[in-house]
Amino acid sequence: MENAMRAISPADLKQTGPCTWDIPRSFRNDMRATARLFADQPMLDHLFGERALEQLVNMTTLPGVQEPALAMPDIHQGYGFPIGGVAAIRADEGVISPGGVGYDINCGVRLLASEVSHGEIRDRLPALATQIQRDVPTGVGRAGRITLDEHAMDLVLNTGLRWAIGAGHGDEADAEVVEERGCLAAANANTVPDRAKKRGADQLGTLGAGNHFLELQRVERIYDQECGRAFGLFEGQVTVLIHTGSRGLGHQTCTEYVRRMDVTMANYGITLPDRELSCAPFHSPEGQDYFHAMAAAANFAWCNRQVITHEVRDAWKRVLGSNQPLAIVYDVSHNIAKLEEHRGVPCIVHRKGATRAFGPGHPELPERYRTTGQPVFIPGSMGTASYVLAGTETAMRESFGSACHGAGRELSRHKAKKTISYDQLRASLRLAGIEVRAGSARGLIEEAPEAYKAVDEVVDVTAQIGIARKVARLRPIAIIKG
């Protein structure tokens, strides 16, 4: 165990590519795979002051982990896995770990594309932002307009987007461009804890707090014209980015399964360096129950983003008097574990703060994206920019079909509150021409641009490695937060 506790120094990393660094299995005697990090030198230097690299190494101790365990350029300290961690674990002999998914199961991002330019709605933007804030509840514990009884809750958990479409919150065109069509077939509502269901009963259609947001943006630049056309994007266009997940339901589900696995892990002879990695064999009763519950919580999250989409569309029509559509470009999860085949091996791919980035030709992609690769969305911090990328064949070979999910935190929420001025933040956003609708000063400060890494650098590293390619850059014009 003394070896397992040894701190990681710059000398322990071996550079194997321009932005690729390995911590070899020889670093610790409990490692089962190489730990690989995608980062440039400045990103790397920052990591030695926190636990993220230690958490990356700890990922390699999980039974069944495949070579290598990965961290994306937006890596920072998380629970169990670092945020930005990706681990493919053999389904036949490996484990599943709630800490490899996270508390906000299927936290993800959805991009909507309008048919209008920024100039056409600039004067009505304040009214639009205010209406969306009224219609989409934000903040901790805020209830939505829908309250699910036990039967309806089970339908949401088991059928995902099918429930939302049946309830009039979308149509088949929406389902076509949602990852997994918005429904994981493994879902089983009976495995979701009762307390989780109660917490989620009134939370469909709510944004929540923390780093969740709803942002109106303009397409500032198209890097790949062909891909941009396939995604339905053009320069000057107004888009809407929705970032939220499974709310209290997902958090409670993770909490209870972490506790359960913490108690039963020893029964399977599993010893790990960090109890936050508590896990169970994938094919064990505990492993299967969590997998089914996680899938159900993921379905809840897709329904949540769909109901929010419906509310945004209604606000758009009321304020702009327009029946022009807000079409979904795509919807991706970045906190999930999915059964996929990589290198001929069925694996449970844990993506914790990482986005699926399947390349061209993959059979699971919608037909319209078979030639381009999957849309990948990389939100920046409010006030900077967000990116649209496309998955690549390199990602399929090098990162288990994965890319990063955002800019990645650089300051903790506590430090952000101590160092960032609310008045100066509001003034800087106003000077940039960004409408802000926030439920609290604290929530705004915690998510200030200064608290995050530079998204341009994160995306540049991602593109340089080749696991996703740039398609478009989006600038915020209005921000709605809890």
Side-chain angles (χ1 to χ4, degrees):
M1 186 58 68
E2 182 178 349
N3 189 29
M5 292 295 105
R6 184 162 71 87
I8 300 168
S9 72
D12 294 313
L13 276 75
K14 177 182 179 182
Q15 188 166 9
T16 57
C19 293
T20 305
W21 309 80
D22 284 358
I23 303 175
R25 293 178 62 175
S26 58
F27 172 72
R28 272 184 12 196
N29 56 19
D30 59 346
M31 292 175 66
R32 302 172 188 262
T34 300
R36 180 163 295 161
L37 168 68
F38 298 135
D40 62 15
Q41 188 66 56
M43 293 174 183
L44 186 64
D45 292 341
H46 178 76
L47 289 172
F48 292 105
E50 59 167 88
R51 289 191 61 231
L53 288 179
E54 178 187 336
Q55 291 181 323
L56 171 60
V57 171
N58 289 343
M59 286 165 51
T60 71
T61 68
L62 290 167
V65 66
Q66 297 297 280
E67 192 77 54
L70 295 165
M72 297 294 143
D74 54 340
I75 178 178
H76 56 284
Q77 184 175 325
Y79 180 91
F81 280 38
I83 310 300
V86 177
I89 299 175
R90 290 183 68 103
D92 58 355
E93 60 184 34
V95 298
I96 188 168
S97 173
V101 171
Y103 282 92
D104 194 359
I105 296 168
N106 191 6
C107 183
V109 186
R110 173 178 293 200
L111 184 67
L112 312 179
S114 77
E115 295 183 352
V116 301
S117 67
H118 180 212
E120 294 177 77
I121 68 163
R122 182 183 284 110
D123 293 343
R124 288 171 288 177
L125 188 61
L128 181 58
T130 298
Q131 189 64 53
I132 291 173
Q133 185 190 35
R134 288 173 180 158
D135 293 347
V136 181
T138 64
V140 178
R142 285 288 306 278
R145 300 180 181 183
I146 298 169
T147 300
L148 302 171
D149 60 22
E150 291 183 13
H151 176 68
M153 172 61 79
D154 285 353
L155 284 175
V156 168
L157 295 172
N158 286 331
T159 67
L161 206 61
R162 306 307 316 160
W163 177 88
I165 292 172
H169 301 296
D171 55 31
E172 292 301 323
D174 291 338
E176 177 66 21
V177 284
V178 174
E179 187 175 331
E180 303 293 340
R181 296 184 65 89
C183 180
L184 286 173
N188 184 343
N190 294 331
T191 61
V192 176
D194 288 340
R195 188 176 177 189
K197 293 179 182 179
K198 290 176 182 176
R199 287 186 65 180
D202 61 358
Q203 291 189 332
L204 277 187
T206 66
L207 198 63
N211 65 346
H212 295 161
F213 64 81
L214 194 157
E215 195 168 282
L216 280 79
Q217 305 162 323
R218 61 178 172 84
V219 179
E220 181 181 56
R221 181 177 177 185
I222 300 289
Y223 297 94
D224 184 321
Q225 294 295 332
E226 181 180 355
C227 206
R229 283 192 294 271
F231 290 3
L233 302 176
F234 59 88
E235 290 188 2
Q237 178 184 26
V238 177
T239 61
V240 182
L241 198 63
I242 300 167
H243 175 214
T244 190
S246 51
R247 306 286 282 109
L249 182 140
H251 193 284
Q252 192 65 40
T253 298
C254 179
T255 297
E256 298 201 21
Y257 276 97
V258 165
R259 290 172 182 163
R260 180 177 172 186
M261 291 183 183
D262 195 38
V263 171
T264 62
M265 191 166 58
N267 297 340
Y268 298 102
I270 299 172
T271 303
L272 297 170
D274 185 353
R275 64 181 301 175
E276 292 182 358
L277 289 173
S278 63
C279 61
F282 178 63
H283 288 295
S284 70
E286 296 86 355
Q288 286 294 290
D289 282 352
Y290 170 71
F291 184 59
H292 296 317
M294 181 223 52
N299 289 349
F300 184 92
W302 277 312
C303 277
N304 187 29
R305 293 196 285 275
Q306 186 65 36
V307 174
I308 290 173
T309 297
H310 180 73
E311 298 291 359
V312 171
R313 286 167 168 167
D314 277 356
W316 184 275
K317 290 176 184 177
R318 284 201 297 276
V319 174
L320 302 181
S322 170
N323 288 319
Q324 292 179 336
L326 280 174
I328 301 174
V329 178
Y330 205 54
D331 179 302
V332 294
S333 167
H334 52 231
N335 278 3
I336 206 161
K338 296 176 72 174
L339 187 58
E340 300 171 1
E341 185 172 302
H342 291 276
R343 304 166 191 168
V345 178
C347 297
I348 304 301
V349 182
H350 295 63
R351 295 186 178 97
K352 169 77 168 287
T355 303
R356 194 183 76 170
F358 284 178
H362 198 286
E364 290 189 28
L365 296 183
E367 186 64 36
R368 62 184 286 191
Y369 299 138
R370 292 280 174 85
T371 59
T372 63
Q374 173 190 317
V376 175
F377 307 131
I378 312 297
S381 58
M382 59 183 182
T384 58
S386 297
Y387 281 83
V388 179
L389 295 87
T392 65
E393 293 176 354
T394 299
M396 304 308 297
R397 295 192 305 268
E398 302 294 334
S399 63
F400 303 106
S402 308
C404 56
H405 89 304
R409 290 198 76 90
E410 192 160 66
L411 298 180
S412 68
R413 288 182 168 85
H414 175 73
K415 191 169 184 180
K417 285 184 289 185
K418 290 183 66 175
T419 59
I420 297 171
S421 162
Y422 173 73
D423 290 339
Q424 289 179 357
L425 173 59
R426 287 297 297 250
S428 67
L429 293 174
R430 188 163 50 246
L431 187 64
I434 300 171
E435 293 288 330
V436 180
R437 303 291 183 271
S440 70
R442 173 184 171 182
L444 200 67
I445 291 170
E446 289 178 350
E447 302 303 316
E450 297 91 333
Y452 284 83
K453 298 175 184 178
V455 68
D456 296 340
E457 295 176 17
V458 169
V459 170
D460 284 346
V461 169
T462 301
Q464 185 173 349
I465 299 162
I467 55 177
R469 69 182 189 279
K470 294 181 185 180
V471 176
R473 192 172 194 263
L474 317 176
R475 279 285 187 181
I477 54 178
I479 299 164
I480 293 92
K481 291 189 64 65

